[in-house]
Amino acid sequence: MRSTTDHAMVHTIASPLTTTAGHGSDIDRPTSWLISVLPDSAAELQLWGICGVLVIAALYGIGTRRVAAQGKKERAGLDGAADTLGEGLAATAGGLLGGAWRFVAGQPLWGEPKTDSTYLRPGERLDRALAGDLARPDTAMDVKTPQPRRSRTAFLTSPRALTRMGETWHRWPGAARSAVRMGTVAAVAGLWRAPEWTAVILVITVPVAAAVAILVVPRGSRSRNDAQTYGPGLWAALIQVLRLSAEDQERGEAYWMLLPADLSDGDARIVIRLPLQWLGAEKERALLAHILHSRLPGEWVASYTQRGRNPYVEFTPKPAPKPRPQLATSVPWRSTGNPYKVFVGQAVEGDRIVDVVVATESETPHWGVAGDTGAGKSSMLYIPVVHGRQNGWVVDILDNKENSMIEAEGHSGIRIHKTTRACMGAFAEFMTSMIAAEKSLGLDGDPQLRTQLVPRLLVIDELPTLIRFAYTWWKHGIKQKGTPPFIDWFTIILMMGRSSDHRVVVGAQQFDNSLFGGTIGRKQIGTKIVIGKQDMVSWGVAYGQNAPRFGYDTTIKGRGAYADNQTDPDGDYAWVREFQAAYITPHVQELLTNAPQAPAWFDSGEMAPWITPEALAQAQEEAAAANFLPGGKFAPLSRPVVPVRSNRGVGGGSPRSDLGTVLVGTGGGTKIGTADPDTALAAEQAEDASLPDTFSVADACKEGILPWRYETARKYLLQRSKDRGVAVPEGVTDGRVTYYTRAELETWLAAWNTAKATA
């Protein structure tokens, strides 16, 4: 019995141990593990000792760095070592506990936060980039510039995919990151202890959690105001721009800057406190403005207050510019009632539309219109013709294109000169009339002649073409040597015209100095109007290289720019304004029909009655004009068409070019001739037709006269020709381009080839 009892007792004592081993392993497992790892041999004890020394050394090193960072004075001996080791233990324990807390709370595990997210609110990436150099403003990120969208494929395959995924993870609210971390730990534990049930739970919960995150968690800055979105980036830059110390930074961004919740609000204001040591020099202010504009949307105006103990700068939205007034596409012409003030259109000056009136009695007696063919230049030249005739002026029109001013033809007080010889004769007669009028107006002038003076107007439809044809006629038509006098005549007229009531209106492609005899002559063209497209060179010739160009709608007829010797309010250069020319063409004939009758001598084709023999001698002495006046060797064979009807109360269609009587100059130079008008006019036209064609270098290359491209031909002709001793042909010019006859180019080409072959 005893043995049986002992056996039962042993069994009873062993049963709890067995039961504990089988059912209570969760309780005993840590104890068993601790017992199992205890050293049970000398080798294991030695390993434990080495590990202990390493741990103590690591803790001591951590403690040393912490003591140095805290600025404490380390004690000597065992007490100092104990203090250092204690600091290491505290730092390690704090780090472990802090890391555990950051893990549970969803905070970043190491480093500075990459976004400004909170526990319940998503965040935006903090821009901690340097402020950038003012000399290279493109180094700062512009939050206003939209970034290109990336496709999902690019996101997955980009080398920066992991970085972007990390940035997305850090933008999550802390609660979401905590849930993911703790859920991951729970899932790992579940898979270890109960894999089947855990897998089922994961299959159900993961899709549900993902759907909730997509629907509930806001993306980006949808739920964020502007202060929350842009504040961190601006604060990170201000630290560097204002050179804030660590103590200043501890006061926080709310102390140093104030951002509105809505930057697009018209009453928004940004206030930035300035440290007392910040000097606020011009470059520093420019850098601060650059930082603000590179990180905030919109345009802002700064207002500095640096006096007192609390200096600050306030930025307010830049006022929206007033809408620029729009010119009408068509401006009707009207008379000013003043013979010396010509209404020519309207222009934009600042925020208003103003009338453009050319005041020819002031320092701008002459004016001009520039523009390419078809831009509306000739149409605008009707304005001075009509204005002059309405005020009793007589008008000479030089139109060697023969059809540009057809609406004015055949009316009293208007002479239209169409051939080169006729234009040069009218040019000479106008200059002589001006010299004689100036003499009559002097103190020793004849009072009787003074009473006959009538204001005169010379309108040149296409000055460059006229000069080109005149030079060709001089050289190849009448076979003259040297420099023709035409440009000198023009310069004299421009310089003396205002005081003698002889004014000029010029039409040209550009206001080149060579067309006016130099800068002094060109300056007399006080009001310069450009119609239609103008290249950079032509713009600079008209208004100066410093005058800023601006765009205008060149598809609108008569749209352009003008300047009238005024200086721009914003700079030391010509004040150029957008301009719309008045449209007068449909009413030209009606207005000219109702104009006063011109003096009989003008309609009879005679020279001005105040041109005395003394004035003729002076004109010949000063400008060699006698040969081009009636009776001279190069005088016109015909005189301008004389109207056969009076202006008053007479209507009808466009006058024909063969109306009236053609007059021929006689020996006296002022009387009506009797030659057949058709014969005289035909002779002048035949003379023009016999003039050789002229070609620019570009035209010569297109026609095949020169066997090169334009750039090569120009280099050979104008640069290398002299180096090889080949004479460059003289040619004729229109002020911009030099033109050569076919014979001149062929002669030069033969000499060039010969020189090249013998080189």
Side-chain angles (χ1 to χ4, degrees):
M1 291 296 295
R2 186 172 182 177
S3 61
T4 304
T5 303
D6 293 341
H7 178 75
M9 291 178 63
V10 172
H11 177 74
T12 303
I13 295 172
S15 295
L17 295 176
T18 305
T19 302
T20 302
H23 301 285
S25 59
D26 291 340
I27 298 175
D28 294 342
R29 183 172 297 166
T31 304
S32 301
W33 178 80
L34 288 175
I35 294 174
S36 66
V37 298
L38 289 175
D40 56 359
S41 64
E44 290 183 359
L45 183 61
Q46 186 179 8
L47 180 61
W48 269 84
I50 294 174
C51 292
V53 171
L54 293 176
V55 170
I56 293 173
L59 292 175
Y60 189 85
I62 294 173
T64 302
R65 294 190 60 181
R66 184 169 180 176
V67 169
Q70 292 177 348
K72 295 181 180 180
K73 185 177 181 180
E74 186 177 356
R75 292 189 298 175
L78 186 60
D79 293 337
D83 291 342
T84 303
L85 189 59
E87 291 290 343
L89 286 170
T92 303
L96 293 175
L97 292 176
W101 169 250
R102 287 195 294 270
F103 182 86
V104 173
Q107 297 177 0
L109 298 180
W110 58 81
E112 296 183 356
K114 296 180 175 59
T115 70
D116 60 349
S117 62
T118 63
Y119 188 74
L120 298 177
R121 180 174 57 81
E124 289 294 328
R125 180 177 180 273
L126 291 176
D127 183 8
R128 301 184 184 278
L130 294 177
D133 186 4
L134 183 62
R136 299 192 306 162
D138 56 336
T139 57
M141 184 182 70
D142 190 350
V143 298
K144 298 178 287 186
T145 304
Q147 300 297 320
R149 297 182 61 186
R150 294 180 178 268
S151 64
R152 295 183 178 179
T153 304
F155 178 82
L156 294 176
T157 58
S158 171
R160 300 182 59 191
L162 294 177
T163 303
R164 294 184 178 277
M165 291 175 64
E167 293 177 357
T168 304
W169 163 258
H170 286 286
R171 289 172 57 187
W172 287 22
R177 284 180 284 177
S178 176
V180 171
R181 289 171 178 172
M182 299 306 295
T184 302
V185 172
V188 171
L191 291 173
W192 177 35
R193 299 299 299 165
E196 295 84 1
W197 287 103
T198 303
V200 173
I201 294 173
L202 289 176
V203 169
I204 297 174
T205 57
V206 169
V208 173
V212 171
I214 293 174
L215 295 175
V216 176
V217 177
R219 295 183 180 181
S221 57
R222 293 180 188 174
S223 61
R224 301 165 55 81
N225 59 38
D226 289 343
Q228 296 169 334
T229 301
Y230 302 110
L234 181 61
W235 168 241
L238 287 179
I239 292 174
Q240 301 171 74
V241 175
L242 301 180
R243 295 186 289 275
L244 299 179
S245 64
E247 183 180 355
D248 289 333
Q249 296 179 39
E250 290 178 358
R251 296 182 176 182
E253 59 184 273
Y255 174 83
W256 291 101
M257 69 180 192
L258 172 65
L259 290 182
D262 184 6
L263 292 172
S264 62
D265 187 356
D267 297 327
R269 55 194 294 266
I270 302 168
V271 181
I272 297 175
R273 192 189 298 266
L274 303 173
L276 292 174
Q277 71 273 13
W278 194 72
L279 298 179
E282 183 178 353
K283 289 185 177 180
E284 292 177 314
R285 292 189 177 191
L287 178 58
L288 180 58
H290 164 66
I291 291 301
L292 185 132
H293 283 97
S294 65
R295 282 162 171 75
L296 303 184
E299 296 186 36
W300 304 86
V301 178
S303 175
Y304 282 85
T305 302
Q306 288 191 260
R307 294 180 179 178
R309 300 181 61 184
N310 295 303
Y312 66 92
V313 56
E314 181 180 27
F315 289 90
T316 55
K318 183 178 181 180
K322 294 182 179 179
R324 193 169 185 270
Q326 298 296 317
L327 289 169
T329 56
S330 180
V331 176
W333 182 83
R334 66 177 184 275
S335 175
T336 63
N338 187 328
Y340 299 105
K341 291 185 177 181
V342 188
F343 172 70
V344 295
Q346 292 183 331
V348 177
E349 289 188 359
D351 58 353
R352 62 195 183 106
I353 302 293
V354 299
D355 291 340
V356 178
V357 177
V358 181
T360 62
E361 201 173 21
S362 65
E363 66 276 5
T364 60
H366 316 294
W367 55 285
V369 184
D372 291 334
T373 302
K377 178 173 69 268
S378 299
S379 298
M380 190 175 176
L381 291 178
Y382 281 125
I383 292 176
V385 174
V386 171
H387 179 84
R389 286 299 302 125
Q390 283 193 337
N391 290 280
W393 294 37
V394 293
V395 183
D396 284 279
I397 300 176
L398 307 186
D399 178 21
N400 55 345
K401 293 193 294 184
E402 299 191 12
N403 59 358
S404 297
M405 308 287 290
I406 194 171
E407 296 296 328
E409 191 171 348
H411 291 276
S412 175
I414 299 176
R415 295 173 175 173
I416 299 182
H417 311 271
K418 298 183 177 181
T419 63
T420 304
R421 184 182 285 264
C423 287
M424 293 303 101
F427 218 158
E429 193 269 342
F430 189 88
M431 182 197 65
T432 305
S433 170
M434 181 199 66
I435 293 174
E438 187 77 18
K439 191 174 184 65
S440 300
L441 291 170
L443 294 177
D444 57 346
D446 188 342
Q448 184 177 358
L449 293 178
R450 195 178 302 159
T451 61
Q452 302 180 50
L453 294 178
V454 178
R456 300 189 64 173
L457 178 67
L458 180 65
V459 177
I460 305 175
D461 179 56
E462 188 65 63
L463 181 61
T465 304
L466 176 67
I467 297 300
R468 175 186 170 188
F469 283 0
Y471 277 37
T472 304
W473 176 69
W474 170 268
K475 182 177 181 181
H476 301 286
I478 58 178
K479 310 295 184 182
Q480 296 300 301
K481 303 289 186 180
T483 303
F486 314 130
I487 296 297
D488 293 334
W489 296 351
F490 195 26
T491 305
I492 293 173
I493 293 171
L494 293 174
M495 297 294 294
M496 298 174 55
R498 180 168 71 96
S499 59
S500 58
D501 258 353
H502 284 60
R503 286 167 170 77
V504 178
V505 178
V506 175
Q509 292 184 352
Q510 67 170 215
F511 298 100
D512 194 275
N513 274 345
S514 60
L515 298 175
F516 302 92
T519 304
I520 296 178
R522 194 183 75 128
K523 285 188 65 176
Q524 306 308 311
I525 306 296
T527 298
K528 300 182 182 69
I529 299 173
V530 167
I531 299 296
K533 296 180 180 179
Q534 285 288 297
D535 56 47
M536 185 179 298
V537 174
S538 298
W539 184 276
V541 168
Y543 304 123
Q545 299 297 329
N546 294 332
R549 297 182 67 189
F550 56 85
Y552 50 82
D553 191 351
T554 57
T555 63
I556 300 176
K557 288 292 185 181
R559 186 60 56 89
Y562 97 103
D564 55 356
N565 279 348
Q566 294 191 54
T567 301
D568 194 292
D570 298 328
D572 188 17
Y573 41 76
W575 190 15
V576 188
R577 288 88 96 191
E578 185 177 359
F579 170 78
Q580 178 65 44
Y583 189 50
I584 195 176
T585 305
H587 310 289
V588 168
Q589 291 194 42
E590 176 187 356
L591 294 171
L592 290 178
T593 298
N594 294 323
Q597 192 76 18
W601 63 265
F602 189 86
D603 285 349
S604 299
E606 301 176 4
M607 290 198 301
W610 54 82
I611 298 180
T612 62
E614 292 80 11
L616 285 171
Q618 183 179 352
Q620 173 62 19
E621 180 181 354
E622 293 180 355
N627 284 334
F628 299 88
L629 296 172
K633 182 166 54 172
F634 309 128
L637 304 176
S638 66
R639 296 294 287 163
V641 174
V642 177
V644 296
R645 59 174 182 261
S646 64
N647 279 6
R648 291 293 182 182
V650 178
S654 298
R656 293 167 42 222
S657 60
D658 58 351
L659 292 178
T661 304
V662 178
L663 306 180
V664 178
T666 62
T670 61
K671 296 183 179 180
I672 300 175
T674 58
D676 178 62
D678 293 335
T679 303
L681 184 60
E684 289 186 6
Q685 292 174 338
E687 183 180 47
D688 280 352
S690 65
L691 296 177
D693 293 332
T694 55
F695 306 87
S696 66
V697 176
D699 293 337
C701 295
K702 292 179 181 178
E703 294 290 331
I705 302 174
L706 297 179
W708 305 293
R709 299 179 63 180
Y710 167 71
E711 293 79 6
T712 304
R714 188 176 184 278
K715 183 184 298 183
Y716 289 171
L717 179 64
L718 302 179
Q719 298 178 14
R720 298 186 180 178
S721 187
K722 294 181 181 180
D723 297 338
R724 293 194 174 183
V726 180
V728 179
E730 182 179 358
V732 295
T733 182
D734 65 356
R736 293 191 305 171
V737 181
T738 301
Y739 297 85
Y740 309 92
T741 64
R742 181 182 292 269
E744 285 178 325
L745 292 173
E746 290 177 347
T747 300
W748 172 84
L749 181 60
W752 170 266
N753 290 333
T754 301
K756 183 178 180 180
T758 58

